[in-house]
């Protein structure tokens, strides 16, 4: 069986760069990260340099370790989710404050 080639439609180098950047931001050594992923340090290095593909399973584990979303690792974009949006706007807060001040005056 021949070697599996990397999918040319996926920017593995960019994915690897984002992984490395986040790993360093979280002060996680490459050896520690690789151990937590259950892969060799060499394989993680190859992923970070775009020389090796990455499985969805490893990507998902990295999301947990690096506290990020899959969307960011794969596409470099943070998806806006309901969890990231406030339940109330600034304007609504101002209205509530005005209403409460009106109640205090009565």
């Amino acid at each position: 069986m021949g070697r599996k080639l990397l999918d040319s439609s996926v920017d593995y180098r960019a994915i690897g760069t984002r992984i490395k950047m986040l790993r360093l931001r979280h002060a996680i050594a490459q050896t520690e990260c690789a151990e937590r992923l259950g892969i060799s340090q060499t394989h993680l290095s190859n992923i970070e340099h775009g020389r090796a593909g990455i499985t969805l399973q490893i990507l998902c584990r990295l999301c947990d370790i690096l506290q990020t979303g899959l969307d960011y690792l794969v596409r470099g974009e943070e998806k806006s989710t309901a969890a990231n949006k406030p339940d109330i706007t600034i304007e609504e807060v101002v209205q509530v404050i005005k209403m409460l001040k009106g109640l205090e005056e009565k």
Side-chain angles (χ1 to χ4, degrees):
M1 183 177 238
R3 289 183 71 176
K4 184 177 178 182
L5 299 176
L6 297 178
D7 182 344
S8 62
S9 68
V10 177
D11 190 347
Y12 289 100
R13 184 169 296 205
I15 292 170
T17 298
R18 286 188 286 274
I19 291 167
K20 183 176 183 177
M21 179 196 65
L22 287 171
R23 180 179 58 73
L24 293 173
R25 186 179 294 162
H26 288 284
I28 301 171
Q30 197 175 58
T31 51
E32 178 190 346
C33 189
E35 187 176 298
R36 290 172 67 180
L37 291 168
I39 62 175
S40 71
Q41 180 271 328
T42 302
H43 185 60
L44 180 55
S45 176
N46 286 333
I47 289 170
E48 288 183 355
H49 288 93
R51 295 187 297 254
I54 187 167
T55 66
L56 183 57
Q57 183 180 22
I58 297 294
L59 272 172
C60 290
R61 283 191 205 150
L62 277 166
C63 287
D64 289 339
I65 293 168
L66 303 176
Q67 301 171 6
T68 192
L70 192 56
D71 219 38
Y72 177 73
L73 285 185
V74 175
R75 299 189 308 168
E77 300 172 1
E78 287 289 348
K79 259 198 169 166
S80 184
T81 63
N84 294 337
K85 293 182 183 176
D87 292 334
I88 189 167
T89 66
I90 298 289
E91 292 80 16
E92 291 171 322
V93 170
V94 170
Q95 287 176 350
V96 169
I97 291 171
K98 286 179 181 177
M99 183 186 75
L100 291 173
K101 281 186 178 182
L103 290 174
E104 283 179 0
E105 293 173 5
K106 290 183 180 183

